[in-house]
């Protein structure tokens, strides 16, 4: 399994907009991607920091998403995200998924 970890900052008062947009627009896109397994988004209630972790069957699937769909996702979320998200990739060593 392979993971993409994206850390970003939400603009003030956009958490509910982000959540709604993610559930209605982004998640359906993710579910159509080959090898997509799971998405977890974490937000820190004391700040604007957020992390989105997506799990993929393998690196090739995650790379295909990064090249073909992720730029569209960034455009969709641009008005809610402050700055440029930091993307890191990891091979899953252990999981209970």
């Amino acid at each position: 399994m392979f993971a993409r970890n994206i850390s970003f900052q939400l603009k003030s008062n956009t958490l509910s907009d982000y959540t709604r947009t993610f559930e209605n627009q982004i998640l359906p896109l993710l579910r159509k991607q080959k090898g997509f397994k799971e998405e977890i988004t974490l937000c820190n209630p004391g700040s604007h920091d957020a992390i989105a972790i997506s799990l993929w069957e393998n690196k090739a699937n995650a790379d295909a998403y990064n090249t073909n769909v992720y730029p569209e996702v960034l455009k969709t979320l641009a008005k809610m995200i402050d700055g440029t998200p930091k993307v890191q990739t990891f091979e899953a060593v252990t999981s209970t998924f």
Side-chain angles (χ1 to χ4, degrees):
M1 195 165 6
F2 201 76
R4 294 179 80 245
N5 179 34
I6 303 169
S7 55
F8 56 97
Q9 290 215 332
L10 290 170
K11 292 181 180 177
S12 294
N13 302 315
T14 62
L15 180 58
S16 62
D17 291 338
Y18 170 84
T19 302
R20 183 175 42 259
T21 301
F22 185 84
E23 290 175 359
N24 295 330
Q25 296 179 40
I26 308 304
L27 194 53
L29 272 175
L30 283 167
R31 287 185 172 141
K32 292 178 185 175
Q33 302 310 302
K34 181 178 180 183
F36 173 74
K37 293 292 190 186
E38 181 72 29
E39 176 78 22
I40 302 165
T41 302
L42 309 169
C43 293
N44 185 339
S47 75
H48 299 288
D49 296 334
I51 297 172
I53 302 167
S54 58
L55 301 177
W56 300 85
E57 284 182 11
N58 56 52
K59 184 178 184 321
N61 296 143
D63 288 346
Y65 165 77
N66 189 63
T67 301
N68 302 318
V69 180
Y70 182 62
E72 182 181 336
V73 169
L74 280 180
K75 287 179 189 175
T76 302
L77 299 175
K79 59 187 166 202
M80 293 163 254
I81 293 177
D82 197 14
T84 303
K86 180 182 176 187
V87 179
Q88 296 178 292
T89 56
F90 300 89
E91 186 171 330
V93 178
T94 62
S95 172
T96 59
F97 176 69

